[in-house]
Amino acid sequence: MLTSRTKNLYQELILEHNKKPRNYRVPETSSHQAKGHNPLCGDKLDVYLSVDEESSTISDVSFIGDGCAISKASASIMTTMVKGKSVEEAQSLFKMFHDMTTGKETDVTEDQIPSRLRVFAGVKDLPARVKCATLAWHTLDAALQGEEKISTE
Amino acid sequence: MSQAAIKTETVHNPDQIQKQLKNLRDDFPILSRKINGRELVYLDNAASTQLPKQVIETVSAYHEFHHSNVHRGVHTLSQEATDLYEEAREQIRSFINAPSLKEVIITSGTTDAINLVSRCYGEPRFGKGDVILVSNMEHHANIVPWHMLAEKTGAEMKVIPITDEGSIDMDAYRALLGPDVKMVAVNHISNALGTINPVKEITDLAHKAGAVVMIDGAQAVGHELVDVQALNCDFYAFSGHKMHGPTGIGILYGKEELLKEMKPNRGGGDMILSVSFGEITYAGLPAKFEAGTPPIAQAIGLGAAAKYLSGLDRDLMYQHEQNLLKYATDKLSSVPGLRIIGTSPEKTSIVSFVLDGVHPHDIGTILDENGVAVRTGHHCAQPVMERYNVPATTRASMAFYNTFSEIDALYDSLLKVNELFDVNQPN
Ligand SMILES: Cc1ncc(COP(=O)(O)O)c(C=O)c1O
């Protein structure tokens, strides 16, 4: 029998993105990129971005990498969330996601969090898995800041 | 443990043996814990084994009645603490059949012990042109100190390859051995693969070539009867927490003639005979390598663990572990999509595996939800992962207190994993 906690963590959407990750490719060109590494579990992923300088919008984003279902699905969902958004919007999504997965008290109410991000709320009860969920976002943030490598340790 | 126990067919039936060992389970209070509402199924013994109440009570009694600093005071408590500490050393000596108490150095663990040898034996002796051999299946604790030593001294580290099934390639080893080889560092049992290495043969060959041998026994002491005299190795390291003792404690066994020539690794109290600002005379063995207040309670706990294990029928325990290994190997092999990494004919009760389409981390989380504790990751043995071209594995490691029904629980949980991820399902 699967417990409700397991089901809560491995929601349909997560399993589906794990199986068929979106924007899983190395682009021909990109303006920003970074490598993320979680040495604890060996998860590795590369995030590529094309940022339009004038409008400061993310015109393309993609990733490749190796990792658990949580990290892969999180990366995949992230790409679908930030594509077409401004850099600023992407960064505030990162903050929102980070606060939610680390269980930080904020003014943001649950219904203000996009449902595609909300599926990861379960990781806050599993400290060992928080980094899996946030790796892609940290890597995105690093790419936007012009850092080439980040490690979650 | 006797080779015979590996080779002979079971004389008793496996269930009978399990029944005989059943009472031992009651010695381990933690095994009756519930995790996420289920019975704990503890299959992470290669990371740390659990403590019997005999060890817990000995450590607790020390704190309650005898605690004081050792080797210092004339008062009663200090004398009692010293006696208990040195008694523990004797229990450990006897446990590994070391010839002398001088050869039993108390360290903080296997890692600490290997670093001590690398620094105090290797550093002043090795240089350019010298070779250190390590196997491809070592734990980082038996790689990194040698790598650091090589960087510092100009010596070269070379790797003894392993076969596809995960045994040391003995022909390749023989070919690597030459007059330039100064040190051979291998584990007795691999934590990542479960392979039991022929350390006696490895040692004899190394000695013929004039090399010194360091055995990482971290995974062996909890399963095998270790006799350092029979092995004739020069150094043997192990940790308390892998043999039902506390963490923060381990042992370096070293041959007296080598230890005697080595300079101390750390300076401080307890390791000197006399100090003036002009001249320092070091204490003899083993005190020379035990600067500062040692982990007294932990050493006493390790002594108690050695005594506990020595009082048991270890042949029977070994047989049970081998039965568990066989049962787990057969059962897990029948999980669709599962592949076992490490299939040497000589193995301890460790089963490392990958499951098609599911990352070990996800497996670990789901098993934990079912109360099943396993290790997932690279097991501090990244070169092994590279060798098999996998980023990580899931590892179930059994101790003598584990049961066949716990393997069933592992099996059932793995089927649930396949179901949840909708992989490896019959069409
Ligand atoms: C084979 C082996 N060597 C060395 C070690 C390191 O032991 P410790 O962390 O107790 O120093 C371990 C434990 O993980 C091990 O399994």
mmCIF file of all heavy atoms in Angstrom, chain B residues 90-130:
data_model
loop_
_atom_site.group_PDB
_atom_site.id
_atom_site.type_symbol
_atom_site.label_atom_id
_atom_site.label_comp_id
_atom_site.label_asym_id
_atom_site.label_seq_id
_atom_site.Cartn_x
_atom_site.Cartn_y
_atom_site.Cartn_z
ATOM 1 N N GLU B 90 41.767 -4.348 25.447
ATOM 2 C CA GLU B 90 42.061 -5.783 25.493
ATOM 3 C C GLU B 90 40.943 -6.583 24.791
ATOM 4 O O GLU B 90 41.224 -7.535 24.047
ATOM 5 C CB GLU B 90 42.244 -6.230 26.951
ATOM 6 C CG GLU B 90 42.249 -7.737 27.181
ATOM 7 C CD GLU B 90 43.263 -8.518 26.341
ATOM 8 O OE1 GLU B 90 44.288 -7.948 25.934
ATOM 9 O OE2 GLU B 90 43.009 -9.719 26.063
ATOM 10 N N GLN B 91 39.693 -6.180 25.009
ATOM 11 C CA GLN B 91 38.587 -6.880 24.343
ATOM 12 C C GLN B 91 38.709 -6.769 22.822
ATOM 13 O O GLN B 91 38.447 -7.713 22.082
ATOM 14 C CB GLN B 91 37.231 -6.296 24.796
ATOM 15 C CG GLN B 91 36.786 -6.849 26.146
ATOM 16 C CD GLN B 91 35.815 -5.923 26.872
ATOM 17 O OE1 GLN B 91 35.668 -4.751 26.523
ATOM 18 N NE2 GLN B 91 35.166 -6.448 27.903
ATOM 19 N N ILE B 92 39.125 -5.587 22.387
ATOM 20 C CA ILE B 92 39.269 -5.364 20.946
ATOM 21 C C ILE B 92 40.477 -6.148 20.408
ATOM 22 O O ILE B 92 40.424 -6.746 19.339
ATOM 23 C CB ILE B 92 39.408 -3.854 20.645
ATOM 24 C CG1 ILE B 92 38.149 -3.110 21.104
ATOM 25 C CG2 ILE B 92 39.652 -3.618 19.161
ATOM 26 C CD1 ILE B 92 38.334 -1.627 21.343
ATOM 27 N N ARG B 93 41.544 -6.150 21.183
ATOM 28 C CA ARG B 93 42.734 -6.910 20.775
ATOM 29 C C ARG B 93 42.380 -8.376 20.553
ATOM 30 O O ARG B 93 42.715 -8.977 19.536
ATOM 31 C CB ARG B 93 43.840 -6.804 21.844
ATOM 32 C CG ARG B 93 45.136 -7.499 21.455
ATOM 33 C CD ARG B 93 45.960 -7.970 22.638
ATOM 34 N NE ARG B 93 45.280 -8.970 23.445
ATOM 35 C CZ ARG B 93 45.102 -10.244 23.093
ATOM 36 N NH1 ARG B 93 45.561 -10.685 21.943
ATOM 37 N NH2 ARG B 93 44.432 -11.077 23.874
ATOM 38 N N SER B 94 41.673 -8.901 21.529
ATOM 39 C CA SER B 94 41.316 -10.304 21.450
ATOM 40 C C SER B 94 40.358 -10.554 20.273
ATOM 41 O O SER B 94 40.440 -11.579 19.599
ATOM 42 C CB SER B 94 40.722 -10.712 22.799
ATOM 43 O OG SER B 94 39.714 -11.639 22.657
ATOM 44 N N PHE B 95 39.476 -9.585 20.019
ATOM 45 C CA PHE B 95 38.488 -9.698 18.935
ATOM 46 C C PHE B 95 39.158 -9.863 17.570
ATOM 47 O O PHE B 95 38.669 -10.583 16.701
ATOM 48 C CB PHE B 95 37.606 -8.442 18.957
ATOM 49 C CG PHE B 95 36.506 -8.415 17.939
ATOM 50 C CD1 PHE B 95 35.396 -9.246 18.064
ATOM 51 C CD2 PHE B 95 36.543 -7.531 16.863
ATOM 52 C CE1 PHE B 95 34.357 -9.211 17.133
ATOM 53 C CE2 PHE B 95 35.521 -7.491 15.933
ATOM 54 C CZ PHE B 95 34.424 -8.333 16.066
ATOM 55 N N ILE B 96 40.285 -9.194 17.359
ATOM 56 C CA ILE B 96 40.976 -9.313 16.065
ATOM 57 C C ILE B 96 42.246 -10.164 16.179
ATOM 58 O O ILE B 96 43.021 -10.254 15.231
ATOM 59 C CB ILE B 96 41.339 -7.925 15.469
ATOM 60 C CG1 ILE B 96 42.174 -7.105 16.470
ATOM 61 C CG2 ILE B 96 40.086 -7.173 15.045
ATOM 62 C CD1 ILE B 96 42.794 -5.855 15.852
ATOM 63 N N ASN B 97 42.438 -10.742 17.348
ATOM 64 C CA ASN B 97 43.599 -11.579 17.619
ATOM 65 C C ASN B 97 44.935 -10.873 17.335
ATOM 66 O O ASN B 97 45.853 -11.449 16.750
ATOM 67 C CB ASN B 97 43.523 -12.900 16.835
ATOM 68 C CG ASN B 97 44.528 -13.925 17.350
ATOM 69 O OD1 ASN B 97 44.850 -13.939 18.534
ATOM 70 N ND2 ASN B 97 45.043 -14.768 16.450
ATOM 71 N N ALA B 98 45.024 -9.618 17.747
ATOM 72 C CA ALA B 98 46.308 -8.913 17.621
ATOM 73 C C ALA B 98 47.257 -9.458 18.677
ATOM 74 O O ALA B 98 46.837 -9.770 19.778
ATOM 75 C CB ALA B 98 46.099 -7.412 17.818
ATOM 76 N N PRO B 99 48.561 -9.584 18.339
ATOM 77 C CA PRO B 99 49.496 -10.159 19.302
ATOM 78 C C PRO B 99 49.670 -9.289 20.545
ATOM 79 O O PRO B 99 49.911 -9.810 21.620
ATOM 80 C CB PRO B 99 50.809 -10.236 18.527
ATOM 81 C CG PRO B 99 50.486 -9.980 17.106
ATOM 82 C CD PRO B 99 49.168 -9.312 17.031
ATOM 83 N N SER B 100 49.568 -7.985 20.390
ATOM 84 C CA SER B 100 49.922 -7.127 21.517
ATOM 85 C C SER B 100 49.006 -5.910 21.609
ATOM 86 O O SER B 100 48.532 -5.385 20.598
ATOM 87 C CB SER B 100 51.371 -6.662 21.343
ATOM 88 O OG SER B 100 51.591 -5.463 22.038
ATOM 89 N N LEU B 101 48.781 -5.453 22.839
ATOM 90 C CA LEU B 101 47.970 -4.245 23.063
ATOM 91 C C LEU B 101 48.632 -3.004 22.463
ATOM 92 O O LEU B 101 47.970 -2.021 22.156
ATOM 93 C CB LEU B 101 47.766 -4.032 24.567
ATOM 94 C CG LEU B 101 46.767 -4.994 25.228
ATOM 95 C CD1 LEU B 101 46.903 -4.917 26.746
ATOM 96 C CD2 LEU B 101 45.350 -4.668 24.800
ATOM 97 N N LYS B 102 49.933 -3.081 22.297
ATOM 98 C CA LYS B 102 50.658 -1.945 21.715
ATOM 99 C C LYS B 102 50.261 -1.713 20.269
ATOM 100 O O LYS B 102 50.550 -0.687 19.676
ATOM 101 C CB LYS B 102 52.162 -2.211 21.745
ATOM 102 C CG LYS B 102 52.753 -2.228 23.120
ATOM 103 C CD LYS B 102 54.242 -2.466 22.985
ATOM 104 C CE LYS B 102 54.883 -2.600 24.354
ATOM 105 N NZ LYS B 102 56.226 -3.162 24.251
ATOM 106 N N GLU B 103 49.645 -2.724 19.677
ATOM 107 C CA GLU B 103 49.319 -2.640 18.251
ATOM 108 C C GLU B 103 47.876 -2.231 18.011
ATOM 109 O O GLU B 103 47.410 -2.219 16.880
ATOM 110 C CB GLU B 103 49.591 -4.004 17.601
ATOM 111 C CG GLU B 103 51.046 -4.426 17.769
ATOM 112 C CD GLU B 103 51.321 -5.812 17.238
ATOM 113 O OE1 GLU B 103 50.530 -6.728 17.529
ATOM 114 O OE2 GLU B 103 52.313 -5.971 16.512
ATOM 115 N N VAL B 104 47.180 -1.925 19.089
ATOM 116 C CA VAL B 104 45.761 -1.557 18.973
ATOM 117 C C VAL B 104 45.618 -0.070 19.281
ATOM 118 O O VAL B 104 45.557 0.341 20.439
ATOM 119 C CB VAL B 104 44.898 -2.400 19.939
ATOM 120 C CG1 VAL B 104 43.427 -2.018 19.827
ATOM 121 C CG2 VAL B 104 45.094 -3.889 19.652
ATOM 122 N N ILE B 105 45.600 0.743 18.223
ATOM 123 C CA ILE B 105 45.526 2.200 18.371
ATOM 124 C C ILE B 105 44.070 2.628 18.278
ATOM 125 O O ILE B 105 43.378 2.289 17.314
ATOM 126 C CB ILE B 105 46.296 2.919 17.235
ATOM 127 C CG1 ILE B 105 47.682 2.299 17.019
ATOM 128 C CG2 ILE B 105 46.376 4.419 17.494
ATOM 129 C CD1 ILE B 105 48.663 2.533 18.097
ATOM 130 N N ILE B 106 43.644 3.378 19.280
ATOM 131 C CA ILE B 106 42.268 3.869 19.264
ATOM 132 C C ILE B 106 42.208 5.164 18.455
ATOM 133 O O ILE B 106 42.963 6.109 18.702
ATOM 134 C CB ILE B 106 41.750 4.031 20.704
ATOM 135 C CG1 ILE B 106 41.570 2.614 21.289
ATOM 136 C CG2 ILE B 106 40.421 4.808 20.730
ATOM 137 C CD1 ILE B 106 41.212 2.542 22.737
ATOM 138 N N THR B 107 41.328 5.163 17.449
ATOM 139 C CA THR B 107 41.172 6.314 16.565
ATOM 140 C C THR B 107 39.704 6.719 16.568
ATOM 141 O O THR B 107 38.907 6.119 17.290
ATOM 142 C CB THR B 107 41.563 5.956 15.113
ATOM 143 O OG1 THR B 107 40.588 5.031 14.588
ATOM 144 C CG2 THR B 107 42.941 5.327 15.028
ATOM 145 N N SER B 108 39.353 7.686 15.731
ATOM 146 C CA SER B 108 37.946 8.075 15.689
ATOM 147 C C SER B 108 37.180 7.255 14.655
ATOM 148 O O SER B 108 35.970 7.395 14.530
ATOM 149 C CB SER B 108 37.808 9.567 15.399
ATOM 150 O OG SER B 108 38.093 9.824 14.055
ATOM 151 N N GLY B 109 37.862 6.410 13.913
ATOM 152 C CA GLY B 109 37.163 5.579 12.938
ATOM 153 C C GLY B 109 38.111 5.102 11.849
ATOM 154 O O GLY B 109 39.321 5.369 11.902
ATOM 155 N N THR B 110 37.565 4.397 10.893
ATOM 156 C CA THR B 110 38.361 3.868 9.791
ATOM 157 C C THR B 110 39.069 4.989 9.034
ATOM 158 O O THR B 110 40.264 4.906 8.731
ATOM 159 C CB THR B 110 37.447 3.113 8.799
ATOM 160 O OG1 THR B 110 36.705 2.132 9.527
ATOM 161 C CG2 THR B 110 38.244 2.445 7.705
ATOM 162 N N THR B 111 38.320 6.039 8.744
ATOM 163 C CA THR B 111 38.865 7.174 7.995
ATOM 164 C C THR B 111 40.093 7.733 8.707
ATOM 165 O O THR B 111 41.148 7.952 8.090
ATOM 166 C CB THR B 111 37.793 8.277 7.876
ATOM 167 O OG1 THR B 111 36.625 7.702 7.282
ATOM 168 C CG2 THR B 111 38.268 9.442 7.041
ATOM 169 N N ASP B 112 39.930 7.952 9.996
ATOM 170 C CA ASP B 112 41.013 8.487 10.809
ATOM 171 C C ASP B 112 42.222 7.539 10.781
ATOM 172 O O ASP B 112 43.370 7.970 10.644
ATOM 173 C CB ASP B 112 40.483 8.643 12.250
ATOM 174 C CG ASP B 112 41.412 9.438 13.140
ATOM 175 O OD1 ASP B 112 42.163 10.273 12.615
ATOM 176 O OD2 ASP B 112 41.373 9.224 14.368
ATOM 177 N N ALA B 113 41.954 6.248 10.886
ATOM 178 C CA ALA B 113 43.031 5.251 10.933
ATOM 179 C C ALA B 113 43.821 5.218 9.620
ATOM 180 O O ALA B 113 45.053 5.153 9.616
ATOM 181 C CB ALA B 113 42.439 3.873 11.240
ATOM 182 N N ILE B 114 43.108 5.279 8.499
ATOM 183 C CA ILE B 114 43.799 5.237 7.200
ATOM 184 C C ILE B 114 44.619 6.515 7.001
ATOM 185 O O ILE B 114 45.761 6.478 6.525
ATOM 186 C CB ILE B 114 42.807 5.007 6.044
ATOM 187 C CG1 ILE B 114 42.116 3.643 6.212
ATOM 188 C CG2 ILE B 114 43.518 5.076 4.682
ATOM 189 C CD1 ILE B 114 40.979 3.380 5.240
ATOM 190 N N ASN B 115 44.030 7.633 7.402
ATOM 191 C CA ASN B 115 44.771 8.892 7.308
ATOM 192 C C ASN B 115 46.039 8.853 8.149
ATOM 193 O O ASN B 115 47.074 9.398 7.751
ATOM 194 C CB ASN B 115 43.892 10.078 7.735
ATOM 195 C CG ASN B 115 43.042 10.594 6.593
ATOM 196 O OD1 ASN B 115 43.521 11.337 5.739
ATOM 197 N ND2 ASN B 115 41.795 10.185 6.555
ATOM 198 N N LEU B 116 45.947 8.212 9.307
ATOM 199 C CA LEU B 116 47.121 8.106 10.183
ATOM 200 C C LEU B 116 48.246 7.352 9.462
ATOM 201 O O LEU B 116 49.400 7.778 9.469
ATOM 202 C CB LEU B 116 46.715 7.392 11.478
ATOM 203 C CG LEU B 116 47.677 7.448 12.676
ATOM 204 C CD1 LEU B 116 46.929 7.062 13.956
ATOM 205 C CD2 LEU B 116 48.898 6.580 12.538
ATOM 206 N N VAL B 117 47.891 6.260 8.822
ATOM 207 C CA VAL B 117 48.919 5.462 8.134
ATOM 208 C C VAL B 117 49.497 6.241 6.956
ATOM 209 O O VAL B 117 50.714 6.276 6.742
ATOM 210 C CB VAL B 117 48.334 4.115 7.653
ATOM 211 C CG1 VAL B 117 49.350 3.347 6.816
ATOM 212 C CG2 VAL B 117 47.887 3.273 8.849
ATOM 213 N N SER B 118 48.594 6.868 6.203
ATOM 214 C CA SER B 118 49.055 7.622 5.044
ATOM 215 C C SER B 118 50.033 8.718 5.473
ATOM 216 O O SER B 118 51.084 8.899 4.876
ATOM 217 C CB SER B 118 47.832 8.194 4.324
ATOM 218 O OG SER B 118 48.152 9.376 3.677
ATOM 219 N N ARG B 119 49.668 9.413 6.539
ATOM 220 C CA ARG B 119 50.497 10.535 6.976
ATOM 221 C C ARG B 119 51.767 10.072 7.697
ATOM 222 O O ARG B 119 52.862 10.544 7.407
ATOM 223 C CB ARG B 119 49.681 11.467 7.880
ATOM 224 C CG ARG B 119 50.074 12.903 7.700
ATOM 225 C CD ARG B 119 49.110 13.901 8.343
ATOM 226 N NE ARG B 119 47.722 13.517 8.225
ATOM 227 C CZ ARG B 119 46.947 13.249 9.283
ATOM 228 N NH1 ARG B 119 47.419 13.295 10.503
ATOM 229 N NH2 ARG B 119 45.684 12.933 9.093
ATOM 230 N N CYS B 120 51.609 9.164 8.649
ATOM 231 C CA CYS B 120 52.746 8.833 9.509
ATOM 232 C C CYS B 120 53.639 7.742 8.923
ATOM 233 O O CYS B 120 54.824 7.698 9.198
ATOM 234 C CB CYS B 120 52.267 8.412 10.890
ATOM 235 S SG CYS B 120 51.259 9.661 11.664
ATOM 236 N N TYR B 121 53.047 6.855 8.136
ATOM 237 C CA TYR B 121 53.890 5.847 7.512
ATOM 238 C C TYR B 121 54.338 6.312 6.126
ATOM 239 O O TYR B 121 55.529 6.302 5.807
ATOM 240 C CB TYR B 121 53.188 4.487 7.407
ATOM 241 C CG TYR B 121 54.111 3.444 6.809
ATOM 242 C CD1 TYR B 121 55.045 2.787 7.602
ATOM 243 C CD2 TYR B 121 54.096 3.184 5.438
ATOM 244 C CE1 TYR B 121 55.939 1.883 7.048
ATOM 245 C CE2 TYR B 121 54.989 2.278 4.873
ATOM 246 C CZ TYR B 121 55.908 1.632 5.686
ATOM 247 O OH TYR B 121 56.798 0.752 5.139
ATOM 248 N N GLY B 122 53.369 6.751 5.317
ATOM 249 C CA GLY B 122 53.664 7.055 3.918
ATOM 250 C C GLY B 122 54.478 8.313 3.699
ATOM 251 O O GLY B 122 55.468 8.300 2.963
ATOM 252 N N GLU B 123 54.039 9.393 4.354
ATOM 253 C CA GLU B 123 54.619 10.697 4.035
ATOM 254 C C GLU B 123 56.139 10.758 4.152
ATOM 255 O O GLU B 123 56.805 11.222 3.227
ATOM 256 C CB GLU B 123 53.952 11.772 4.896
ATOM 257 C CG GLU B 123 53.767 13.076 4.148
ATOM 258 C CD GLU B 123 52.905 14.034 4.942
ATOM 259 O OE1 GLU B 123 51.683 13.775 5.033
ATOM 260 O OE2 GLU B 123 53.450 15.016 5.481
ATOM 261 N N PRO B 124 56.715 10.284 5.239
ATOM 262 C CA PRO B 124 58.175 10.392 5.312
ATOM 263 C C PRO B 124 58.917 9.360 4.459
ATOM 264 O O PRO B 124 60.118 9.477 4.265
ATOM 265 C CB PRO B 124 58.477 10.165 6.798
ATOM 266 C CG PRO B 124 57.259 9.606 7.405
ATOM 267 C CD PRO B 124 56.115 9.770 6.468
ATOM 268 N N ARG B 125 58.213 8.348 3.975
ATOM 269 C CA ARG B 125 58.915 7.247 3.297
ATOM 270 C C ARG B 125 58.749 7.231 1.785
ATOM 271 O O ARG B 125 59.590 6.693 1.072
ATOM 272 C CB ARG B 125 58.427 5.904 3.848
ATOM 273 C CG ARG B 125 58.932 5.610 5.248
ATOM 274 C CD ARG B 125 58.228 4.417 5.860
ATOM 275 N NE ARG B 125 58.684 4.205 7.232
ATOM 276 C CZ ARG B 125 58.286 4.923 8.275
ATOM 277 N NH1 ARG B 125 57.413 5.901 8.101
ATOM 278 N NH2 ARG B 125 58.760 4.677 9.488
ATOM 279 N N PHE B 126 57.630 7.777 1.306
ATOM 280 C CA PHE B 126 57.340 7.651 -0.125
ATOM 281 C C PHE B 126 57.841 8.855 -0.901
ATOM 282 O O PHE B 126 57.898 9.960 -0.376
ATOM 283 C CB PHE B 126 55.830 7.492 -0.373
ATOM 284 C CG PHE B 126 55.240 6.227 0.221
ATOM 285 C CD1 PHE B 126 53.887 5.956 0.094
ATOM 286 C CD2 PHE B 126 56.039 5.312 0.892
ATOM 287 C CE1 PHE B 126 53.341 4.804 0.642
ATOM 288 C CE2 PHE B 126 55.497 4.149 1.439
ATOM 289 C CZ PHE B 126 54.145 3.904 1.319
ATOM 290 N N GLY B 127 58.135 8.633 -2.159
ATOM 291 C CA GLY B 127 58.575 9.731 -3.006
ATOM 292 C C GLY B 127 58.376 9.393 -4.467
ATOM 293 O O GLY B 127 57.710 8.397 -4.801
ATOM 294 N N LYS B 128 58.927 10.208 -5.309
ATOM 295 C CA LYS B 128 58.816 10.016 -6.751
ATOM 296 C C LYS B 128 59.277 8.611 -7.142
ATOM 297 O O LYS B 128 60.268 8.115 -6.616
ATOM 298 C CB LYS B 128 59.698 11.047 -7.460
ATOM 299 C CG LYS B 128 58.974 11.727 -8.590
ATOM 300 C CD LYS B 128 59.798 12.853 -9.176
ATOM 301 C CE LYS B 128 59.356 13.141 -10.603
ATOM 302 N NZ LYS B 128 57.907 13.341 -10.740
ATOM 303 N N GLY B 129 58.515 7.982 -8.017
ATOM 304 C CA GLY B 129 58.895 6.648 -8.462
ATOM 305 C C GLY B 129 58.237 5.537 -7.639
ATOM 306 O O GLY B 129 58.212 4.390 -8.053
ATOM 307 N N ASP B 130 57.705 5.910 -6.474
ATOM 308 C CA ASP B 130 57.009 4.917 -5.650
ATOM 309 C C ASP B 130 55.544 4.809 -6.074
ATOM 310 O O ASP B 130 54.950 5.784 -6.532
ATOM 311 C CB ASP B 130 57.057 5.309 -4.169
ATOM 312 C CG ASP B 130 58.474 5.218 -3.611
ATOM 313 O OD1 ASP B 130 59.297 4.507 -4.222
ATOM 314 O OD2 ASP B 130 58.746 5.872 -2.581
#
